[in-house]
Amino acid sequence: MEETIVRDEALVKKAEEMMEQQEFGERRLTGIPYKITFLIAIAFSCFQMYTAFFGVLTATLQRSVHLAFAITLCFLFYPLSKKSKRKTIPFYDFILAAAAGGVVIYIAIFYEQLVQRIGDPTPVDIVMGVTTIVLILEASRRAVGWPLVIITGLFILYGLFGPYTPGILAHRGYTFRRIVDHLYLTGEGIFGIPLWVSSTFVYAFVLFGAIFERTGAGEYLMKLAMSLVGHTRGGPAKVSVVASAFMGTISGSGVANTATIGTLTIPLMKKVGFKPELAGGIDTAAGGNGQLMPPVMGAAAFVMAEFLGIPYLDVCVAAALPAVIDQLALLGAVHLLSTKYGFKGVPRAQLPRFIPTLTSGLHFLVPIAVLFYALVFERLTPLTSAAMSIGVAVTIFVIRAVMISMGLIQPEQKGAGRPQTQSWEPLKDSLRKIVDAMFNAGKSMAAIGVTCACAGMVVGMVSLTGAGLNMTNILVELSFGNVYLAMLLTMIACLILGMGVPTTPNYVIMATIMAPALIAMKPDTPLIAAHLFVFYFGILADGTPPVCLAAYAAAGIAGADPFKTGLESFKLDMRTFLLPYMFITAPQMLLIGLDPGIMGVLEASWIFITASIGMYALAAGMQGFLIDDDKWYERIILLAVAFCLVKPGLYSDMIGLAGFAFIYFLQKRRVGAHGTVAA
């Protein structure tokens, strides 16, 4: 049966422009400026691919070259202000780009001499260090706005004026020279762990995602989601959730997920009855949720493994169950909304069939299978695994293009059909797409690189001043020693600190400042539980008004008010707010402490079932609908049921299941009495 659902090309173009503006700056370069940025971005990707395939340089050299490329591109892609020119690059930005790249590459050129004088910098070193710090702050401001810059600036000022801060915040203070030396010349500041992960596997996975998307895999995953759930109640909204979960395995950008998927699902949601703000809110929530899905988690999984000193697989195993439960909960919330308001699905006749769709794009799944096999079974490093996957993806893409060019297969189907006339245009087009993916990866990493350097300065000031211990003392005092109040305060701090900050530096800041304080409040907390707690709320900050960048993209596609779209997204995200609390109070949710045998499998299965029902009850309580409109007391009971079921425990599970069954049959009886057809 022929598919009749197609994307609106004008809407796709609009979404691409919004994504370009939010992710890669607002400039629309042409002519020589475009060629200059293009060549630098391609050189950036070539450098990263070379080190991924043939081995990274020494730590400082790898990081300095990476940052030199990133900060140079940042000044070329991102304008000084909204009033700046869009189609060209002012002369002062060329000067800033050259200066920024020069002061950073200074580290690589004079590496051996600088190593010998760490702790005793020369006046030239100080000038270079100050210039680097100022230019990183300015590049970060252009790329992601003021929040990260303000946070970093406050920590630097805290290092300078420590003796003058009140009470438990006070420390002995450090000279300007010492701070610059610590941030610029040691491995604990600008060139610390955040920049290390950015310069290795973060770039590799961004490039893998860019290549994967340009090969048409995103479109394939979208069609697969349409064939699975498009016909159900509120089908387009469920497609948005499922497709975002699929895309979350290869993309760490909530904005990119939202814009890419929303071009198809938002118009369809509006068509079946969803209001524009609600359609945009669902797409925003779904796009953000994709970053919580292993195996990539916006590259935070690899950073977390590096921070905690544990195998990457352990992070994936711990994060898997909550991520799946959260996705099912969002599906449940969408289903309840659709049932409550009578939204229908897309007619089967307009949808692709599942089996033909699945088989038509199996070649897209091979690179993901290779990635999974390399990471999980061979236990290779993330960088090596990503390099292998990139190689496989490019090879399959090129071979397929050659076969199409030779007329051996049709462009949209495998093997079947009448051979077409030989033409090398498909191969040329494929090679152009690979180069375009390298360019896009360079553009994406410009912002990620400088923000990771900025996050490194925060980490450096925390290690220099002992701010982590002070944060712990503050948390203990404000919470009066109460763990639950401490978790609430940590959540609020993460939501504030994470606004507008990309996933990787977002997690780095949370792990440096907030996670140690939370662990100090509850010393028996597994380290990974505390880190996942702050990671979840850092990601949720992206969908929390007033910043919520992804909501602006969704609102633009839906033709809705961005703030109202953000509020709708926030309402849907509220169901996720419960899960991280369970990481701390019940680590079994993360499969920690379970029996390694069959009993452990059974316990994990039971946790999955009861927690999923609990999250569904939470959605029902918040939406005010289960199989009928909730009475006020039914909403209270459903919320209590959610708390009982999400936290693992035999007695709480029994109480929760009994409460859920009570409300379900109570409403079912009421539905039968007034003749309403339940879903």
Side-chain angles (χ1 to χ4, degrees):
M1 188 173 294
E2 189 174 343
E3 181 188 355
T4 57
I5 294 178
V6 294
R7 291 178 188 265
D8 184 331
E9 290 302 321
L11 200 57
V12 170
K13 186 176 180 181
K14 181 180 179 181
E16 288 176 349
E17 289 176 355
M18 287 188 297
M19 192 165 61
E20 283 273 338
Q21 181 176 334
Q22 291 194 23
E23 296 241 303
F24 309 137
E26 299 179 354
R27 283 185 173 142
R28 303 288 179 270
L29 300 176
T30 57
I32 293 177
Y34 172 79
K35 292 177 181 177
I36 292 173
T37 57
F38 181 84
L39 290 174
I40 296 173
I42 293 297
F44 193 7
S45 287
C46 287
F47 165 75
Q48 295 291 158
M49 288 179 70
Y50 176 83
T51 56
F53 281 100
F54 300 105
V56 297
L57 309 177
T58 58
T60 303
L61 291 177
Q62 178 79 16
R63 301 171 202 189
S64 60
V65 175
H66 173 83
L67 181 57
F69 272 117
I71 197 168
T72 299
L73 287 172
C74 225
F75 281 108
L76 297 180
F77 282 131
Y78 295 89
L80 178 66
S81 69
K82 291 184 178 180
K83 296 180 180 179
S84 301
K85 295 178 181 179
R86 293 290 181 268
K87 294 185 179 181
T88 188
I89 302 173
F91 74 93
Y92 56 80
D93 275 347
F94 277 115
I95 295 172
L96 287 173
V103 294
V104 173
I105 209 69
Y106 174 80
I107 293 287
I109 296 172
F110 299 99
Y111 171 67
E112 293 183 1
Q113 297 96 310
L114 290 171
V115 167
Q116 296 174 4
R117 58 179 186 252
I118 290 177
D120 187 25
T122 65
V124 174
D125 296 339
I126 295 296
V127 171
M128 289 292 187
V130 171
T131 306
T132 301
I133 291 169
V134 171
L135 289 175
I136 287 173
L137 291 173
E138 169 58 14
S140 298
R141 182 197 68 79
R142 293 185 181 206
V144 297
W146 282 105
L148 181 58
V149 176
I150 292 172
I151 292 168
T152 308
L154 288 174
F155 271 94
I156 293 174
L157 292 174
Y158 177 63
L160 284 170
F161 300 106
Y164 308 105
T165 51
I168 58 176
L169 286 173
H171 63 83
R172 67 185 182 89
Y174 295 91
T175 64
F176 182 76
R177 187 169 183 266
R178 173 70 187 280
I179 290 174
V180 174
D181 174 67
H182 186 76
L183 295 181
Y184 184 60
L185 295 181
T186 73
E188 296 185 37
I190 293 169
F191 301 100
I193 289 179
L195 196 61
W196 171 245
V197 297
S198 173
S199 66
T200 51
F201 41 76
V202 172
Y203 198 111
F205 277 96
V206 167
L207 180 57
F208 173 59
I211 291 174
F212 200 68
E213 193 275 329
R214 291 299 291 153
T215 61
E219 194 71 24
Y220 166 70
L221 294 175
M222 180 73 72
K223 289 180 180 178
L224 200 60
M226 289 292 293
S227 67
L228 279 171
V229 295
H231 64 284
T232 60
R233 281 185 178 273
K238 293 176 183 175
V239 169
S240 182
V241 177
V242 175
S244 293
F246 288 161
M247 291 292 287
T249 62
I250 58 171
S251 169
S253 171
V255 174
N257 279 358
T258 299
T260 302
I261 293 164
T263 54
L264 179 63
T265 58
I266 288 177
L268 288 176
M269 279 190 261
K270 291 169 65 177
K271 189 175 180 179
V272 299
F274 287 87
K275 292 181 179 179
E277 286 79 12
L278 182 55
I282 290 171
D283 193 52
T284 303
N289 262 31
Q291 294 176 90
L292 304 176
M293 287 294 291
V296 178
M297 296 164 62
F302 309 111
V303 187
M304 199 175 294
E306 191 86 7
F307 257 85
L308 299 177
I310 62 176
Y312 156 80
L313 183 60
D314 290 358
V315 176
C316 270
V317 169
L321 192 61
V324 174
I325 291 171
D326 190 47
Q327 293 291 342
L328 290 176
L330 183 54
L331 274 176
V334 168
H335 177 76
L336 289 170
L337 278 170
S338 303
T339 305
K340 181 177 182 179
Y341 296 113
F343 300 144
K344 304 297 183 183
V346 178
R348 281 275 195 185
Q350 298 180 24
L351 296 173
R353 291 178 295 173
F354 176 68
I355 296 300
T357 302
L358 177 65
T359 56
S360 69
L362 287 177
H363 57 284
F364 290 124
L365 304 181
V366 174
I368 295 179
V370 169
L371 174 65
F372 188 76
Y373 179 81
L375 286 170
V376 174
F377 295 100
E378 292 296 325
R379 302 293 182 95
L380 300 178
T381 65
L383 182 59
T384 302
S385 303
M388 289 174 59
S389 302
I390 290 170
V392 170
V394 170
T395 301
I396 291 175
F397 191 40
V398 171
I399 290 174
R400 182 171 171 79
V402 170
M403 294 177 71
I404 293 172
S405 295
M406 296 176 66
L408 298 177
I409 62 173
Q410 296 293 332
E412 297 300 330
Q413 58 189 31
K414 204 174 179 181
R418 183 164 49 87
Q420 61 182 30
T421 305
Q422 291 188 13
S423 167
W424 292 109
E425 190 56 38
L427 178 59
K428 293 177 183 177
D429 183 60
S430 298
L431 294 176
R432 280 194 294 267
K433 287 180 178 178
I434 292 172
V435 173
D436 190 43
M438 294 171 65
F439 177 54
N440 286 339
K443 289 197 294 183
S444 296
M445 286 306 301
I448 294 174
V450 295
T451 51
C452 280
C454 220
M457 287 196 277
V458 174
V459 175
M461 294 311 301
V462 169
S463 67
L464 183 65
T465 62
L469 180 60
N470 290 340
M471 182 61 69
T472 300
N473 294 333
I474 292 171
L475 192 63
V476 170
E477 283 201 6
L478 291 178
S479 64
F480 305 103
N482 183 284
V483 174
Y484 291 96
L485 184 54
M487 286 192 288
L488 178 65
L489 294 173
T490 302
M491 177 193 79
I492 294 170
C494 289
L495 290 174
I496 294 172
L497 293 174
M499 285 185 178
V501 182
T503 302
T504 304
N506 184 324
Y507 164 68
V508 169
I509 293 170
M510 303 309 154
T512 304
I513 301 174
M514 301 311 305
L518 194 58
I519 292 167
M521 281 294 302
K522 197 172 185 292
D524 60 339
T525 300
L527 287 177
I528 193 168
H531 280 250
L532 281 172
F533 181 95
V534 298
F535 171 66
Y536 261 62
F537 284 118
I539 293 300
L540 285 169
D542 244 2
T544 303
V547 179
C548 51
L549 295 179
Y552 283 84
I557 297 169
D561 178 82
F563 187 75
K564 291 180 180 178
T565 301
L567 285 179
E568 292 293 344
S569 171
F570 183 70
K571 289 177 187 176
L572 289 165
D573 277 339
M574 285 294 289
R575 87 213 172 278
T576 308
F577 279 59
L578 177 61
L579 273 178
Y581 285 89
M582 300 303 110
F583 302 164
I584 306 299
T585 58
Q588 303 97 308
M589 174 71 70
L590 305 176
L591 306 182
I592 295 173
L594 300 185
D595 187 278
I598 186 65
M599 291 305 297
V601 174
L602 293 174
E603 186 176 353
S605 301
W606 179 254
I607 290 172
F608 172 73
I609 293 169
T610 54
S612 297
I613 296 172
M615 292 292 280
Y616 191 72
L618 179 63
M622 295 182 65
Q623 302 299 338
F625 186 90
L626 184 56
I627 58 174
D628 191 25
D629 290 330
D630 297 339
K631 306 291 187 184
W632 66 268
Y633 57 86
E634 291 175 337
R635 298 186 76 163
I636 294 174
I637 294 174
L638 284 169
L639 294 176
V641 163
F643 279 94
C644 289
L645 288 175
V646 173
K647 181 177 181 180
L650 181 60
Y651 293 114
S652 61
D653 286 346
M654 292 299 104
I655 294 171
L657 289 172
F660 185 79
F662 171 72
I663 299 299
Y664 179 84
F665 287 111
L666 185 67
Q667 290 196 7
K668 191 173 181 65
R669 183 179 178 184
R670 188 163 71 239
V671 165
H674 58 58
T676 303
V677 179

